[in-house]
Amino acid sequence: MKNQLKFSLVAAVALTAFTTNLSATNTGGLLLPSQVHLGGYDYVGTGRENQTVYYDEHNNQGAAIGGASTDAVGMGVGNVTGNTLTISGSANNNLKGAYGGFIYTVSTNQGGLVVSNNTVNLDFQNTLMGAVYGGYSNVVYASTPYTIRDNRVNFYQGTVNREVAGGGSSYGADTITNNILNIGTDTRPINLSQTRQAQTIQNFSIINFYLPNNISSSSPAALRLTNGADLSSVSSINTYISANPTSLSTGQNTITLINATGGSITGWTQGTSQTATLRIGSVLQTTPNVSVSGSNLNLSFDFTPGGGGGGGGGSTVVVVNDAAKSISETRITQSQMVNLATDFVVDKVQNSLKPVDELQSFGYVGGAIMKYNSGSHIDANGVNVNVGLGKNYDDFSFGGFLEYGFSTYESVVGNVEADGQSHLYGLGLFAKQMFSNKFYLVSSLHGGLVESDYSRKDMDSTYDTRSPYVGFDFGMGKLVTLGKNQNIDLYAKYLFGFVASDDVTLSTGEEYKFEAVKSHRAKAGLKFNQTIRNFNFIYAGLGTQYEFSNESRASFNAGPLSEEAPRPSLKGVSGIGEVGYRFRPTGDLSFEIGGKYYIGKMQGLSGNAGFQYRF
């Protein structure tokens, strides 16, 4: 027997070398003599786990298999998992079968094996003669039944002359469960001009329909069957319209999911509706009725502006508030980037000059790890950089600077998670007047461009936005002397941030109109300064901030619906603690390091480092 197996394997390798006309266009497998079918050859992955096989040859009389476990040619018997088979091409295909994963044994006591998580992609233009199975067990004898589960078939286009099944078995006691049929996928919805046809479908627990945005009540069926279908094993049907719908009408809409002209649809009672799910683009959702009418399986729902009832017979499409709010939260991150840039100017740039009447340069870099409580929450990690020049004239100082900011963010609104990046580019001016009684006034003005991108994690929903921004602050304070080298800085400040409006179109087609975001803040606190010698000192402070607004307002158009999006807001109180140290290694050069801690509406940590140099 061993010699026979060795001979079979050698013969198989030899066949792959001398039959290039059969397999030259295929990749990922070996052409082996068929042990399952009469005549022909099986094009098989080289193992039983994590194989990827592409097949577009049309002369083979056997089967195409992603990953196989068989004792017939010495490959060994074991679980078959994680394999992918893709069938493509444009000519008629004479394959007797296509399998994502396959177990074939003559006789074994190794029971309880699993054929799971295998995938078949059907993406061809004409006809495949045989059947298609996500996973299959062809076992003559096993001590314990096998399990065929969690396999999937992705059906993009093509005609299959026999059944398309999630799983199959020649041994009646095997368990077949939780297999999935995708008509299209989330990254590639179906093309209505292409054919998807099979004799029947069977052994699927979940069916997902990924429909294009030009779908309408008059569109052809997403899937055609020539011999009916048994849907008794189907536990859920999910439908997705990939983008902002262009052809759905106000009121009642009925979409044909399955047309079974040559047979009947069983497992669902004629005229009885069952609930499915429907997601449309990024922000719309409903639980439509799915019902059998004659030879059709239909999806029915109302598309009614204002949320009122439509033509009856289907649930109303509604806005998913979590998703709509998530899209607006990017604007909050932009506003906060401007605010952090303003804080950086207020805390560092305005206090950067030494008390000498000479031209001075300065530079600061800071980093922050923040959480913003916007009714949901946003986590942001960012960096700010400022460089500039300034000069003192007696008790008056002024200067100019360039600023840059970079931030990555993640927003979580209910079950909707998204992330992105933001960049800020700008320049500004600052001024400070110190009076003889140690009372002072400070102000700065800066502006530029802030840009961000947005990407939702559970679907392909993205957009880019860029807007001009302005930041302004005005403050006053008093230095109160405590001792020879100690004082307390008491301050109160008003800070304003502005991000201009912008119109964007999501990758899923919805049109969002973002209003300008305005931030009005009041900040007050005290900072203790201890001079060590000359310009070297340490400081520690406490402050509080109240945000009066900072609300992101937006409206959007999605199909027949025009709605206002939920408004994330950072209105509220935050507490701030800070510590730092400034030291002067030479008469012309000094350095500073420091950090802050935030609680309340803003939570997190920030740190900074900088230098000042006088010419």
Side-chain angles (χ1 to χ4, degrees):
M1 181 64 180
K2 291 182 179 179
N3 290 333
Q4 291 178 343
L5 292 177
K6 290 180 180 179
F7 176 77
S8 297
L9 190 58
V10 171
V13 174
L15 281 170
T16 61
F18 291 105
T19 56
T20 55
N21 64 313
L22 294 180
S23 58
T25 56
N26 305 319
T27 58
L30 294 173
L31 192 64
L32 302 178
S34 176
Q35 302 298 322
V36 182
H37 307 284
L38 297 177
Y41 300 92
D42 290 338
Y43 190 71
V44 187
T46 58
R48 60 175 182 260
E49 294 184 348
N50 304 316
Q51 302 295 305
T52 300
V53 174
Y54 297 92
Y55 187 91
D56 60 2
E57 178 57 49
H58 313 292
N59 296 319
N60 191 4
Q61 300 294 314
I65 302 172
S69 170
T70 175
D71 56 7
V73 291
M75 297 181 71
V77 177
N79 294 333
V80 180
T81 63
N83 303 290
T84 300
L85 169 66
T86 298
I87 305 292
S88 61
S90 58
N92 288 339
N93 198 309
N94 295 318
L95 286 173
K96 289 186 171 66
Y99 307 86
F102 194 98
I103 288 182
Y104 172 65
T105 63
V106 177
S107 178
T108 180
N109 289 321
Q110 188 174 358
L113 296 179
V114 176
V115 184
S116 66
N117 294 296
N118 301 289
T119 300
V120 178
N121 296 311
L122 300 178
D123 190 13
F124 56 96
Q125 298 175 23
N126 281 325
T127 302
L128 189 151
M129 303 304 294
V132 175
Y133 287 86
Y136 196 90
S137 170
N138 187 359
V139 181
V140 176
Y141 168 79
S143 58
T144 305
Y146 290 2
T147 300
I148 301 93
R149 60 174 171 80
D150 299 316
N151 303 288
R152 67 187 60 217
V153 176
N154 299 325
F155 203 163
Y156 299 105
Q157 62 172 324
T159 297
V160 180
N161 273 0
R162 291 186 56 194
E163 69 271 20
V164 172
S169 170
S170 62
Y171 183 48
D174 286 342
T175 300
I176 303 175
T177 183
N178 205 41
N179 298 293
I180 300 171
L181 173 61
N182 293 321
I183 307 301
T185 55
D186 57 347
T187 57
R188 184 183 164 188
I190 62 172
N191 185 331
L192 293 175
S193 66
Q194 296 173 341
T195 299
R196 284 158 301 280
Q197 179 174 300
Q199 184 186 66
T200 186
I201 56 174
Q202 60 190 40
N203 293 335
F204 290 107
S205 298
I206 300 171
I207 305 179
N208 300 314
F209 293 87
Y210 296 89
L211 308 173
N213 69 323
N214 62 340
I215 193 80
S216 70
S217 295
S218 60
S219 296
L223 175 65
R224 293 202 301 247
L225 302 176
T226 60
N227 196 28
D230 181 1
L231 302 182
S232 59
S233 63
V234 176
S235 59
S236 66
I237 290 180
N238 305 300
T239 52
Y240 307 88
I241 296 178
S242 61
N244 190 35
T246 58
S247 301
L248 295 177
S249 59
T250 299
Q252 181 71 30
N253 290 268
T254 299
I255 294 173
T256 302
L257 300 178
I258 298 176
N259 172 245
T261 55
S264 61
I265 298 177
T266 61
W268 292 48
T269 304
Q270 286 277 340
T272 301
S273 297
Q274 298 193 31
T275 300
T277 61
L278 171 62
R279 188 182 70 200
I280 304 175
S282 295
V283 296
L284 304 179
Q285 186 169 306
T286 188
T287 52
N289 295 329
V290 176
S291 60
V292 176
S293 176
S295 59
N296 291 337
L297 182 71
N298 294 326
L299 181 80
S300 300
F301 56 93
D302 292 329
F303 220 148
T304 306
S315 60
T316 301
V317 174
V318 297
V319 177
V320 184
N321 286 336
D322 287 351
K325 182 180 179 183
S326 171
I327 293 166
S328 296
E329 291 212 318
T330 299
R331 298 281 288 176
I332 289 290
T333 67
Q334 291 182 316
S335 177
Q336 282 304 107
M337 282 199 75
V338 174
N339 285 350
L340 287 177
T342 302
D343 290 340
F344 210 51
V345 173
V346 169
D347 296 336
K348 302 305 166 191
V349 173
Q350 290 177 356
N351 300 309
S352 63
L353 302 185
K354 305 179 184 72
V356 293
D357 292 343
E358 297 179 10
L359 183 65
Q360 303 173 47
S361 64
F362 56 85
Y364 287 93
V365 59
I369 302 173
M370 303 296 296
K371 177 179 180 180
Y372 305 121
N373 296 303
S374 57
S376 45
H377 76 266
I378 305 167
D379 296 323
N381 303 323
V383 175
N384 286 89
V385 179
N386 286 78
V387 293
L389 296 172
K391 196 174 189 312
N392 289 313
Y393 285 95
D394 295 327
D395 291 329
F396 178 73
S397 60
F398 72 97
F401 57 89
L402 300 175
E403 64 182 356
Y404 169 73
F406 171 75
S407 175
T408 62
Y409 72 92
E410 292 186 353
S411 68
V412 180
V413 185
N415 294 323
V416 179
E417 298 183 11
D419 58 18
Q421 295 184 349
S422 298
H423 297 266
L424 177 145
Y425 314 89
L427 51 83
L429 300 170
F430 70 94
K432 183 175 184 177
Q433 175 67 56
M434 179 69 74
F435 298 95
S436 58
N437 61 355
K438 300 301 181 181
F439 179 80
Y440 65 86
L441 298 174
V442 291
S443 183
S444 67
L445 176 67
H446 61 117
L449 183 70
V450 60
E451 58 185 18
S452 300
D453 58 57
Y454 169 94
S455 178
R456 185 168 160 182
K457 292 184 178 181
D458 65 336
M459 63 181 297
D460 184 20
S461 175
T462 63
Y463 71 87
D464 296 325
T465 177
R466 60 169 56 190
S467 299
Y469 75 87
V470 174
F472 169 78
D473 72 273
F474 176 79
M476 62 185 68
K478 171 77 172 179
L479 295 178
V480 179
T481 301
L482 298 179
K484 181 179 180 180
N485 296 314
Q486 299 174 338
N487 66 55
I488 290 181
D489 182 359
L490 302 174
Y491 61 85
K493 301 176 181 181
Y494 165 75
L495 307 99
F496 172 74
F498 175 86
V499 178
S501 61
D502 192 21
D503 296 339
V504 303
T505 300
L506 275 64
S507 59
T508 46
E510 295 86 353
E511 297 175 351
Y512 257 73
K513 182 180 289 293
F514 294 118
E515 297 183 19
V517 183
K518 301 175 184 179
S519 171
H520 298 273
R521 294 181 291 157
K523 185 183 290 188
L526 56 87
K527 184 164 65 175
F528 171 78
N529 301 297
Q530 171 70 58
T531 301
I532 300 173
R533 62 183 178 84
N534 199 4
F535 197 62
N536 298 348
F537 66 87
I538 59 174
Y539 63 86
L542 292 174
T544 186
Q545 169 186 289
Y546 184 76
E547 173 67 73
F548 292 93
S549 58
N550 205 351
E551 184 177 68
S552 175
R553 300 186 179 189
S555 59
F556 64 89
N557 295 318
L561 300 184
S562 179
E563 299 281 349
E564 182 176 340
R567 302 175 182 178
S569 172
L570 290 183
K571 181 179 180 180
V573 179
S574 300
I576 307 168
E578 60 177 324
V579 294
Y581 173 53
R582 179 177 289 180
F583 57 99
R584 181 178 180 181
T586 71
D588 297 326
L589 179 66
S590 63
F591 294 95
E592 180 180 342
I593 57 173
K596 285 186 175 184
Y597 177 70
Y598 301 82
I599 59 173
K601 203 68 174 177
M602 296 171 54
Q603 300 176 5
L605 296 168
S606 68
N608 65 83
F611 75 91
Q612 304 85 31
Y613 180 77
R614 67 178 183 178
F615 295 96

